[in-house]
Amino acid sequence: MPLRAPASAKQDSSAVTTTTYKLQKLLAQKGLGSRREMETLIASGRVSINGRIAVLGDRVGTADRVQIDKRVIRFDLAERLPRVLLYHKPEGEIVSRNDPEGRPTVFDKLPHLRSSKWIAIGRLDFNTSGLLIFTTDGSLANRLMHPRFEVEREYAVRIIGELTAEQITQLTTGIQLEDGIASFSQLAEQGGEGINRWYRVILQEGRNREVRRMFESLGIMVSRLMRVRFGPINLPPRIKRGKWLELDEKEARRLLNLLS
């Protein structure tokens, strides 16, 4: 894929000083939350630009002073790559910072950040393992998660028994769930031993427990579920369960190029 020149490379030196950026995008890139959360924050009246209350649609440049409540937010408007972590989630961890039941959380395993926070790209339920992606960039998280981009999620699914041709047709043409119709864009048998059978499935959305609910709607219980790919990122075999790996600069830049 040919690399696209950054916008700054197409501007002369006089234009750079007047370049502005969407406020909610900069706040998200700062790691303060997703772009949607930043839009909600702006709409609440807690964000100001040069002493006036910000509104959705505002843009800011290098000379502007941005505050959330009384906290001054400083932006590095030079090109800076987001941090991206790949985490191999084991069963028995929850994708939440706080759990009333006191269960282990994936965030306990991640490196500490001082001025931003890790944003989970998608979720996995308590009993599902596999690839989780974390980033400090809310815009990148939005690009991978928003339904309109239809980013593929691929899972390895183990069931007891074997799917019939009719069930495969139902799963790939559409299953009626309580929150709408769901279907796999691809479903392939991967073999198995004894009464257990493995399948690879791909879908292009991330509704809560969607894979499990699709099989359960046909009376089939999923005994093992593992996400092996999210968009262009596969779960690297070298990442052991409960461990993480951070993308280096070359890998992060390649990811951004693939999504541009």
Side-chain angles (χ1 to χ4, degrees):
M1 177 181 295
L3 298 183
R4 183 182 306 170
S8 58
K10 302 176 183 178
Q11 299 167 336
D12 60 31
S13 58
S14 62
V16 172
T17 59
T18 59
T19 300
T20 60
Y21 305 84
K22 289 183 179 180
L23 176 59
Q24 64 267 30
K25 180 178 180 179
L26 284 184
L27 292 173
Q29 289 177 338
K30 185 71 175 175
L32 299 171
S34 68
R35 189 179 299 194
R36 181 174 297 180
E37 290 172 334
M38 295 303 96
E39 290 173 349
T40 301
L41 187 70
I42 294 168
S44 73
R46 294 176 54 197
V47 184
S48 65
I49 304 172
N50 302 326
R52 69 165 178 83
I53 300 299
V55 297
L56 288 175
D58 275 345
R59 301 177 69 89
V60 295
T62 56
D64 293 309
R65 179 184 176 88
V66 177
Q67 292 180 248
I68 297 178
D69 299 325
K70 295 183 178 181
R71 176 187 172 189
V72 176
I73 307 299
R74 305 188 187 282
F75 300 111
D76 178 7
L77 298 182
E79 182 185 15
R80 185 177 63 176
L81 294 175
R83 293 184 66 181
V84 180
L85 290 185
L86 309 184
Y87 178 65
H88 188 161
K89 177 189 176 298
E91 293 94 342
E93 291 182 356
I94 190 169
V95 187
S96 175
R97 286 182 170 80
N98 299 295
D99 179 41
E101 300 178 31
R103 292 173 293 183
T105 168
V106 295
F107 289 96
D108 291 338
K109 301 286 187 68
L110 306 185
H112 176 71
L113 295 175
R114 290 185 178 181
S115 59
S116 58
K117 66 178 182 179
W118 292 115
I119 302 169
I121 298 177
R123 290 176 176 269
L124 293 175
D125 66 43
F126 187 69
N127 294 316
T128 299
S129 65
L131 176 63
L132 268 177
I133 305 172
F134 295 88
T135 182
T136 55
D137 188 337
S139 297
L140 174 59
N142 180 73
R143 174 62 180 80
L144 284 166
M145 286 191 293
H146 198 286
R148 72 185 177 93
F149 294 113
E150 297 185 336
V151 174
E152 290 184 342
R153 285 87 157 159
E154 183 174 352
Y155 294 83
V157 187
R158 188 182 71 184
I159 65 172
I160 297 176
E162 188 172 355
L163 293 175
T164 65
E166 180 183 358
Q167 289 171 330
I168 291 174
T169 298
Q170 288 178 284
L171 289 166
T172 53
T173 57
I175 295 285
Q176 182 65 54
L177 303 177
E178 60 269 24
D179 53 355
I181 295 176
S183 65
F184 296 127
S185 58
Q186 293 183 43
L187 188 158
E189 186 176 358
Q190 299 292 301
E193 295 182 356
I195 61 174
N196 293 309
R197 285 291 180 273
W198 283 95
Y199 293 86
R200 285 289 181 105
V201 301
I202 296 176
L203 42 72
Q204 295 174 313
E205 56 185 4
R207 284 187 263 171
N208 183 43
R209 298 186 69 254
E210 188 170 5
V211 174
R212 291 183 186 275
R213 289 189 292 134
M214 289 174 66
F215 280 94
E216 289 168 0
S217 70
L218 300 180
I220 302 168
M221 187 64 66
V222 173
S223 59
R224 183 92 181 272
L225 182 60
M226 179 178 185
R227 183 157 68 202
V228 296
R229 180 171 64 88
F230 196 115
I233 300 178
N234 291 290
L235 177 63
R238 67 183 183 276
I239 305 181
K240 305 303 181 184
R241 291 191 180 197
K243 303 297 183 181
W244 55 266
L245 176 151
E246 181 166 1
L247 299 189
D248 61 26
E249 181 177 341
K250 181 179 179 181
E251 293 167 330
R253 195 176 298 280
R254 180 173 181 270
L255 174 62
L256 295 178
N257 288 334
L258 288 171
L259 297 173
S260 63

